[in-house]
Amino acid sequence: MHPLFSLRNSLAGLGLCAAAGLAQAQDTLTLYGVADMYAEGIWGGGGRISRLQSGGLSGSRLGFRGRENLGGGLDADFVLETGLNMDEGTYGQNAIFGRQAYVGWGYEPFGRVMLGRQYSSLYRLSDEFSVWSNLSNGPSSAVVGGFGGYEPVRGSSDSATGNGGPARLNNSVRYESPVWAGFRFGVQGGFGEVANDTGGNRVADAYVRYAQGPVAISAAMLDDKGGSVTPDAHRRSWIVGGTYSFGSLRLKGAYLDVDDRTPANQDGSGWWLGADYRLGVSLVKIQYVVNKPRYIDNARTEGLGVGYEYSLSKRTTLYTGLTYFRNQEGAGLGRASFSIPTGVTSTTDNDLTQWIGGMRFTF
């Protein structure tokens, strides 16, 4: 063989090896994100307000995800994800990696274990089984919950969003089983990290899920105790939800209940039912949601909304929506958009109408 031909073959081989190594590196380390902004108008009995908001379809974020195949069915992974308030250029969740920050490892026959700041099962279900997800606009599942301002996270002073319990658990350990004939279950515990009170100050979380063909059903329970730090704090929340698909039509719904075992006894429940239909690049959706605290009279909130999404590409989506919220006089200004701007409602008229229009870009 001619020496020059041999040299060319060697250089080509090195190039292929380098390309394979680069591809492997790209497979194990991913930079991803969502940039989502929308305009919002709210009209009520006391006035109106217009503003720009972040996260109309998905919470804006920037994240890093990695996974390494360790061989023999064993792998390791991590996620670092920061929430972004696009309208102000600030961090979400008051933390650098406030959305998620965990490491994990898995062995195919036995499931996965993850350590760090992670979503609670209750929060993940309220997202999956809601046509409007659990964001702060429209008739979303975020309208349900927040009874008595219940939003603690054990292990720190950070707060989570509503939905009847913590959205994320700090200092948590989660186990998720493999899928057996469509069934999967998981358990999670958030350590309060209080000396001599390991079992008192903590969050316990469990879920079970079945998904087969067009059907998916899940249930979750979350138990939160304050222990010696706040001995009266004890709340138990549970949720059950499901979805069913008929071709391009999907039905989604869930019921959530909060059992407040503190002396204040601020119990409550809520439910939602929605549907969406995809026709090519268009998605039409509708949802009805109800929130009902049980510890106060005339505190019911109802929301009915319609929405439309248009996919300009795989990454870019335009969207709009219109929602009417009917709030009884004791509804605490309702739960629309989490908090109602001052001056929009009045003592005699708490009802609200909300319009949104925005764009989401994913990468």
Side-chain angles (χ1 to χ4, degrees):
M1 180 179 294
H2 193 280
L4 182 58
F5 183 76
S6 177
L7 176 61
R8 286 176 178 171
N9 280 349
S10 298
L11 290 175
L14 288 173
L16 289 174
C17 289
L22 180 60
Q24 184 180 16
Q26 289 173 340
D27 286 341
T28 58
L29 180 60
T30 304
L31 170 67
Y32 66 94
V34 176
D36 189 326
M37 282 289 298
Y38 66 98
E40 176 188 45
I42 299 179
W43 298 265
R48 63 182 62 190
I49 189 171
S50 301
R51 57 187 182 178
L52 287 177
Q53 298 283 77
S54 178
L57 286 185
S58 307
S60 298
R61 71 198 70 175
L62 179 65
F64 304 88
R65 181 190 303 116
R67 175 167 292 191
E68 181 180 14
N69 186 350
L70 302 175
L74 185 66
D75 68 84
D77 72 330
F78 78 91
V79 170
L80 295 172
E81 188 176 285
T82 181
L84 301 173
N85 299 317
M86 294 281 293
D87 52 333
E88 299 176 345
T90 57
Y91 288 123
Q93 295 82 42
N94 299 314
I96 296 178
F97 294 111
R99 289 185 64 89
Q100 299 183 85
Y102 68 82
V103 296
W105 66 92
Y107 182 56
E108 224 169 82
F110 298 112
R112 303 193 65 79
V113 175
M114 289 146 283
L115 313 173
R117 177 172 167 88
Q118 306 168 75
Y119 289 113
S120 71
S121 300
L122 186 148
Y123 187 75
R124 284 183 286 148
L125 266 65
S126 70
D127 173 64
E128 178 184 1
F129 296 116
S130 169
V131 172
W132 246 268
S133 184
N134 47 22
L135 298 170
S136 56
N137 72 84
S140 78
S141 58
V143 174
V144 178
F147 308 110
Y150 167 50
E151 298 176 357
V153 179
R154 295 299 163 211
S156 81
S157 59
D158 292 341
S159 291
T161 48
N163 305 86
R168 301 166 180 88
L169 305 185
N170 290 331
N171 310 312
S172 69
V173 178
R174 184 166 94 237
Y175 166 76
E176 290 195 345
S177 76
V179 178
W180 296 297
F183 284 95
R184 164 178 281 176
F185 73 91
V187 292
Q188 185 173 349
F191 293 93
E193 300 189 348
V194 175
N196 302 319
D197 194 25
T198 303
N201 184 260
R202 55 95 182 119
V203 178
D205 180 345
Y207 83 94
V208 62
R209 173 184 173 84
Y210 173 78
Q212 201 77 274
V215 177
I217 302 172
S218 292
M221 188 275 291
L222 188 147
D223 190 78
D224 183 359
K225 294 182 68 176
S228 59
V229 178
T230 51
D232 287 338
H234 187 191
R235 293 178 177 88
R236 182 171 293 169
S237 306
W238 62 270
I239 182 174
V240 59
T243 180
Y244 189 84
S245 299
F246 305 86
S248 298
L249 177 66
R250 295 185 304 175
L251 301 178
K252 293 186 175 186
Y255 176 86
L256 185 151
D257 188 272
V258 176
D259 177 13
D260 182 5
R261 302 186 173 196
T262 70
N265 195 30
Q266 294 177 328
D267 296 344
S269 63
W271 58 274
W272 60 90
L273 182 63
D276 62 25
Y277 182 81
R278 178 164 294 282
L279 184 62
V281 295
S282 295
L283 181 72
V284 180
K285 57 187 183 181
I286 183 171
Q287 185 154 286
Y288 175 69
V289 60
V290 175
N291 184 60
K292 181 64 173 71
R294 290 194 289 267
Y295 64 96
I296 184 173
D297 294 331
N298 300 317
R300 182 184 176 98
T301 293
E302 300 173 79
L304 176 63
V306 294
Y308 174 74
E309 301 174 20
Y310 183 83
S311 299
L312 292 173
S313 69
K314 290 183 178 180
R315 297 183 181 275
T316 305
T317 302
L318 302 178
Y319 60 90
T320 188
L322 184 66
T323 304
Y324 177 70
F325 292 96
R326 184 166 64 183
N327 298 310
Q328 291 184 320
E329 60 185 27
L333 300 184
R335 290 277 298 166
S337 298
F338 290 109
S339 59
I340 305 304
T342 302
V344 176
T345 61
S346 69
T347 55
T348 58
D349 188 355
N350 278 341
D351 295 345
L352 298 168
T353 301
Q354 178 198 52
W355 170 86
I356 65 167
M359 183 181 81
R360 179 185 67 185
F361 182 85
T362 62
F363 59 92

